[in-house]
Amino acid sequence: MPQAIRSSFSLANYFCKSHALMAEVPFETEQYGLGFGFSQIQKAATTVMDKLLLDSEVALAALAVGAGATVGLSGTSMWDNAASTPIQDFTNARAIARQSGVEANIAVLGDPVVNALMNNPEIVDRLKYTNTTGMIDLDKLSSVLGIKCVRASAVVVDKNNVVSFVWGQTATLAYVKTVSDQVDISSFKTFV
């Protein structure tokens, strides 16, 4: 006898946590700014949103870097080494990602990773006949690696004023649906 299942809509919060950030803008300051053609309140709202989004990105990067299968590179396999093979590495990583049931369609690359890939001899060689400008951008990198590449350049500053990239030296493959729906199985979505 078949087993029946039931589906319904949840009333629970979905990634909606309260935030304790606030910006106070005195009336006088707002009026002074309006006299010059800008709003201090709008600037304060933008600053608060930037901080909230950065906090979400830091949490997401920590979650993504620790999730799933991880392939570590060292020595000559590092992509800033001339003997490395990043195209084959991406092909292998995409095969591992396919084992989850979906094809990865985006690569989130930390800023140092993008720089290493753009200067990698294997990638430069692959583009030598078609790259008329001499510069390798993310579109060209995406075409060589066969997946849309995104540079993750957000930075954080620790208590000792040391700046570091949120995504560090990581390349994260993910599947992101292009259009959201009620049967959305992708990761890396946020709602505003």
Coordinates of all heavy atoms in Angstrom, one line a residue, residues 54-55 57-59 153-159 161-167:
L54 N 27.2 42.2 4.3 CA 28.6 41.7 4.6 C 28.5 40.6 5.6 O 29.2 39.5 5.5 CB 29.5 42.8 5.0 CG 31.0 42.4 5.3 CD1 31.6 41.7 4.1 CD2 31.8 43.5 5.8
D55 N 27.7 40.8 6.7 CA 27.6 39.8 7.7 C 27.0 38.5 7.2 O 27.5 37.4 7.5 CB 26.7 40.3 8.9 CG 26.5 39.3 10.0 OD1 27.6 38.8 10.5 OD2 25.4 39.0 10.4
E57 N 27.3 37.5 4.0 CA 28.3 36.9 3.1 C 29.4 36.2 3.9 O 29.8 35.1 3.6 CB 28.9 38.0 2.2 CG 29.9 37.4 1.2 CD 30.3 38.3 0.2 OE1 29.8 39.5 0.1 OE2 31.2 37.9 -0.6
V58 N 29.8 36.8 5.1 CA 30.7 36.1 5.9 C 30.2 34.8 6.4 O 30.9 33.7 6.4 CB 31.1 37.0 7.1 CG1 31.9 36.2 8.2 CG2 31.9 38.2 6.6
A59 N 28.9 34.8 6.9 CA 28.3 33.5 7.3 C 28.2 32.5 6.2 O 28.4 31.3 6.4 CB 26.9 33.8 7.9
S153 N 35.1 39.7 -3.8 CA 36.2 40.6 -3.3 C 35.8 41.3 -2.0 O 36.5 42.2 -1.6 CB 36.5 41.7 -4.3 OG 37.0 41.1 -5.5
A154 N 34.8 40.8 -1.3 CA 34.4 41.5 0.0 C 35.6 41.2 1.0 O 36.2 40.2 1.0 CB 33.1 40.9 0.5
V155 N 35.8 42.3 1.8 CA 36.9 42.2 2.8 C 36.3 42.4 4.2 O 35.3 43.1 4.4 CB 38.0 43.2 2.5 CG1 38.7 42.8 1.2 CG2 37.5 44.6 2.5
V156 N 37.0 41.9 5.2 CA 36.7 42.1 6.6 C 38.0 42.6 7.3 O 39.1 42.3 6.9 CB 36.1 40.9 7.3 CG1 34.7 40.5 6.8 CG2 37.0 39.7 7.1
V157 N 37.8 43.4 8.3 CA 38.9 43.9 9.1 C 38.8 43.3 10.5 O 37.7 43.4 11.2 CB 38.9 45.4 9.2 CG1 40.1 45.9 10.0 CG2 38.9 46.0 7.8
D158 N 39.8 42.6 11.0 CA 39.7 42.1 12.4 C 40.1 43.1 13.4 O 40.3 44.3 13.1 CB 40.6 40.8 12.5 CG 42.1 41.1 12.4 OD1 42.5 42.3 12.5 OD2 42.9 40.1 12.4
K159 N 40.1 42.7 14.7 CA 40.3 43.7 15.8 C 41.7 44.3 15.8 O 41.9 45.3 16.4 CB 40.0 43.0 17.1 CG 41.0 41.8 17.4 CD 40.6 41.1 18.7 CE 41.5 39.9 19.0 NZ 41.2 39.3 20.2
N161 N 43.1 45.4 13.0 CA 43.1 46.1 11.7 C 43.8 45.4 10.6 O 44.3 46.0 9.7 CB 43.7 47.5 11.9 CG 42.7 48.4 12.6 OD1 41.5 48.3 12.5 ND2 43.3 49.4 13.3
V162 N 43.7 44.0 10.6 CA 44.2 43.2 9.5 C 43.1 43.0 8.5 O 42.1 42.4 8.9 CB 44.8 41.9 10.0 CG1 45.3 41.1 8.9 CG2 46.0 42.2 11.0
V163 N 43.3 43.3 7.3 CA 42.3 43.2 6.2 C 42.5 41.8 5.6 O 43.6 41.4 5.3 CB 42.4 44.3 5.2 CG1 41.4 44.1 4.1 CG2 42.2 45.6 5.8
S164 N 41.4 41.1 5.4 CA 41.4 39.8 4.7 C 40.1 39.6 3.9 O 39.1 40.2 4.1 CB 41.5 38.6 5.7 OG 40.4 38.6 6.5
F165 N 40.3 38.8 2.8 CA 39.1 38.6 1.9 C 38.2 37.6 2.6 O 38.6 36.6 3.2 CB 39.6 38.0 0.6 CG 40.3 39.0 -0.3 CD1 41.7 39.0 -0.4 CD2 39.6 40.0 -0.9 CE1 42.3 40.0 -1.2 CE2 40.2 41.0 -1.7 CZ 41.6 40.9 -1.8
V166 N 36.9 37.8 2.5 CA 35.9 36.9 3.1 C 36.0 35.5 2.5 O 36.0 34.6 3.3 CB 34.5 37.5 2.8 CG1 33.4 36.5 3.3 CG2 34.3 38.8 3.5
W167 N 36.2 35.4 1.2 CA 36.2 34.1 0.6 C 37.7 33.5 0.5 O 37.9 32.4 0.1 CB 35.6 34.1 -0.8 CG 34.1 34.2 -0.7 CD1 33.5 35.4 -0.7 CD2 33.2 33.2 -0.7 NE1 32.1 35.2 -0.6 CE2 31.9 33.9 -0.6 CE3 33.2 31.9 -0.7 CZ2 30.7 33.2 -0.6 CZ3 32.0 31.2 -0.7 CH2 30.8 31.8 -0.6

